Amino acid sequence: MNSDNPFSIAQLGKPERTSPLHLGSREGDMLFNFVDEAEKILFDTSIGEFTRCLNQKKYPLALEKAGPRQNIFFEPGKSRAAIVTCGGLCPGINNVIRSLVMGLHYFYGVKTIYGIPYGYEGLTMDCPHPVHHLTPDVVRDIHQFGGTILGSSRGAQDVGEMVDYLVSHKIDMLFTIGGDGTLKGADAIGKEIGRRGLNISVIGIPKTIDNDIDLIDKSFGFETSFDVASPIIRDAHNEATGAFNGIAIVKLMGRDSGFIAASAAMSMPVVNFVLIPEMPFTLEGENGFLELLEKRLAQKHHAVIVVAEGAGQHLFEEGSSVKDASGNIKHRDIGILLKERISSYFESRNTEHTIKYIDPSYIIRSAPANASDSVFCNRLAYQAVHGAMAGKTRFVVGLLHNKLVYLPIDTVVNQRKKIDLEGEFWFAALQSTGQPYRIG
C-alpha cells in the first residue's frame, strides 16, 4: 500500500543515544513502555475512510503517537533548552512552563533552561530584557497563578536574527507556547535552522483560549475559560431576572470561532441566545434577532445573551481593517453594538426594559488553570520534551481522538478550526438555549 503521509515529522538526525528513562519494552512487565516509531494513530477513524483506503489499496493517514523513545538524539545533561511564550494570555501557560522545566531537568538531566522574556522579542540580540534561568526551584509554584512568568508580546521578528540568537546561546531545543501566529513563526525558525544545517529542534505547544487550532481536539486553557465564564453567566442571569424585561449581554472570547461562547452557554443553561462568528444573523426584519428577543421578553420578561467577540462583524459599517501586531483583524465591539441596537429598538416601541452589558474577557484570560486543564498542560509538556529529546523538530503536540500525537506545525496553521453548524456540538447548543436554527 502507498504510505505517503503529510503528517510525517521532521527529524534532525538518527537518534543513537540510549534514553536515560528506565521504561519497559514489552507487555506484562508492569512498566510504561517506550513508544515505537511504528506506533501510529489514525487520522480518520470512520468505517467509511477505512473502506475507501482498503478499496484503493492506500495506507490510511496516520499520526505519530507521542511519548518517550528508547533512543534519543540529544545528549542528556549537555543539552540546552529555551522556552518562549507569545500572544495573548491564556490559563495554563505557567503550568506548561513548569512541566517543561521539570521534565527536562528530572527526566533527561537538562540543567540549562532559558526563559525567553516577552515573546519572540526576547530572541533578538538587542532585547533589553534579561533572560530567565529556569530551574525546578524557580518554577515550583508558578502553576498557582495565571498569566506567564516570562511575559509575552505580539509581532514578527527577523527570523535570521532569532536563529542567530539560538546559535549564540548554544540552544538545542526551542519550545514555543502560542497560537496561530506563534506557530507560524516557530515553523519559519525551523525552516531557517534546516536551511543552515543546524541541529536545533523547534517544538510548538498550541496555546489558544479560543480552541481554534485546526485538527486537534482541544487546546489548553479552553476548559478553564468556560469554567470561569459559567458563574459570570449565572450572575448575569440573576441581574436579568431582577428587573422587568431585564436583558443581560455577556461577551466572551472567540475571534473567529465560537467554542467558548457555545460551551459556556451549555455549561450554565440559563442562556437564551448564543451568537457566534460562524453563524450569520440579522437584527431587523421578520425572524431577526430583535424580533425574537421581543417575543422572548413577552413570554418570560428576561433574557440572557452570550455573544462571541467575533460575531456579527457584518453589522458594522464597512471600513478599512485594522490589525494587531500579530496580523489578526481587530474586531469592533459587538457587545456595545447589541446593547445600543436593542435599546433603540425597545425605546422606539415604548417597551420598558433594562440592559446590563458584561465583558469579563481579560479576567478569564488571566485566570489560573482549573484542575482539568492543569492535568492537560502537564501531559502536553512532557510529551513535547520526549519528542524534542528524540530529535524531532517543527512539530506540535496535541490531542486527537483522545490520544496525544505529534503533528507537523504546517498542518495545523493552514486554517482555523470552526464550529460545524451542522454538527452535534452546535445542535446541542441550540437545544440548550432553545433559539431557532436560523436568525433572520
Side-chain angles (χ1 to χ4, degrees):
M1 289 187 176
N2 183 4
S3 60
D4 184 28
N5 190 354
F7 294 121
S8 296
I9 303 298
Q11 183 77 36
L12 293 176
K14 187 177 180 179
E16 297 179 322
R17 295 179 172 88
T18 300
S19 172
L21 302 181
H22 301 291
L23 303 179
S25 57
R26 61 181 176 83
E27 297 296 330
D29 59 4
M30 300 185 71
L31 291 174
F32 181 82
N33 290 335
F34 286 108
V35 175
D36 190 275
E37 292 295 334
E39 294 187 60
K40 305 289 183 182
I41 303 298
L42 288 177
F43 175 67
D44 188 334
T45 58
S46 68
I47 190 67
E49 175 64 11
F50 171 78
T51 303
R52 186 187 70 82
C53 291
L54 196 64
N55 291 337
Q56 297 181 8
K57 296 182 178 180
K58 287 185 175 180
Y59 194 88
L61 286 177
L63 299 93
E64 286 194 18
K65 185 178 179 180
R69 269 46 177 179
Q70 192 162 11
N71 293 317
I72 60 176
F73 180 78
F74 291 107
E75 185 174 358
K78 293 186 178 180
S79 300
R80 295 187 178 192
I83 304 170
V84 63
T85 60
C86 306
L89 296 182
C90 172
I93 300 177
N94 280 337
N95 300 66
V96 174
I97 295 170
R98 182 186 189 277
S99 295
L100 286 174
V101 173
M102 295 301 187
L104 287 164
H105 183 95
Y106 288 116
F107 299 167
Y108 293 100
V110 177
K111 299 299 190 293
T112 303
I113 307 170
Y114 297 119
I116 305 301
Y118 298 105
Y120 285 146
E121 179 185 330
L123 289 176
T124 57
M125 295 297 189
D126 58 352
C127 177
H129 311 294
V131 69
H132 302 266
H133 292 272
L134 303 179
T135 66
D137 284 341
V138 170
V139 303
R140 182 182 58 195
D141 299 320
I142 65 173
H143 61 290
Q144 301 181 48
F145 305 96
T148 165
I149 63 163
L150 301 181
S152 186
S153 69
R154 297 184 186 274
Q157 308 295 331
D158 182 79
V159 173
E161 186 177 354
M162 289 192 286
V163 174
D164 290 341
Y165 182 98
L166 298 177
V167 173
S168 68
H169 286 73
K170 299 179 181 179
I171 292 170
D172 301 296
M173 293 163 276
L174 175 65
F175 294 89
T176 63
I177 306 170
D180 184 75
T182 303
L183 296 178
K184 287 178 179 177
D187 203 38
I189 293 171
K191 288 179 179 177
E192 176 62 16
I193 288 170
R195 190 187 68 79
R196 298 189 191 185
L198 303 172
N199 286 329
I200 303 174
S201 177
V202 179
I203 309 95
I205 300 175
K207 171 203 67 68
T208 167
I209 199 170
D210 294 348
N211 195 39
D212 60 358
I213 295 291
D214 198 27
L215 302 183
I216 62 176
D217 294 347
K218 66 174 182 177
S219 49
F220 76 82
F222 168 61
E223 288 192 2
T224 301
S225 68
F226 64 84
D227 188 17
V228 175
S230 291
I232 296 172
I233 293 172
R234 176 201 62 205
D235 295 343
H237 175 256
N238 294 339
E239 281 286 347
T241 57
F244 180 76
N245 287 346
I247 303 167
I249 303 170
V250 180
K251 187 181 78 170
L252 298 176
M253 296 77 65
R255 182 185 289 114
D256 300 294
S257 305
F259 290 103
I260 294 177
S263 298
M266 286 189 280
S267 68
M268 183 56 65
V270 295
V271 178
N272 309 114
F273 299 95
V274 56
L275 306 175
I276 61 173
E278 295 90 336
M279 181 191 72
F281 65 93
T282 61
L283 292 180
E284 309 288 348
E286 185 178 0
N287 295 320
F289 175 73
L290 294 174
E291 182 180 284
L292 293 173
L293 178 60
E294 186 175 31
K295 290 179 180 178
R296 164 71 193 182
L297 292 184
Q299 294 173 347
K300 299 293 185 178
H301 301 297
H302 71 273
V304 177
I305 304 160
V306 170
V307 57
E309 63 181 310
Q313 293 301 303
H314 62 284
L315 300 174
F316 293 91
E317 294 182 4
E318 292 187 7
S320 58
S321 297
V322 178
K323 296 185 178 182
D324 62 21
S326 296
N328 300 310
I329 295 176
K330 286 186 175 181
H331 289 321
R332 284 166 283 190
D333 198 323
I334 182 62
I336 291 177
L337 182 140
L338 283 177
K339 180 182 179 182
E340 292 174 347
R341 296 289 289 273
I342 290 170
S343 183
S344 296
Y345 180 82
F346 287 119
E347 285 175 2
S348 69
R349 284 163 171 69
N350 293 317
T351 300
E352 180 183 350
H353 66 283
T354 301
I355 302 179
K356 302 294 184 183
Y357 172 46
I358 303 166
D359 180 1
S361 299
Y362 290 105
I363 295 172
I364 296 172
R365 289 181 188 277
S366 303
N370 66 9
S372 177
D373 262 325
S374 182
V375 171
F376 187 42
C377 290
N378 183 290
R379 296 175 67 201
L380 286 172
Y382 288 168
Q383 304 303 353
V385 168
H386 295 316
M389 289 300 299
K392 300 180 185 299
T393 188
R394 292 175 57 196
F395 73 92
V396 298
V397 58
L399 197 68
L400 181 70
H401 309 317
N402 205 34
K403 302 287 187 181
L404 285 167
V405 297
Y406 297 138
L407 303 92
I409 292 177
D410 58 10
T411 63
V412 301
V413 296
N414 289 325
Q415 61 183 5
R416 294 195 175 173
K417 183 173 68 175
K418 295 179 181 292
I419 291 177
D420 178 4
L421 296 182
E422 297 182 11
E424 185 277 332
F425 177 75
W426 180 240
F427 179 52
L430 294 179
Q431 289 177 300
S432 178
T433 61
Q435 71 188 63
Y437 298 111
R438 295 181 179 85
I439 297 180

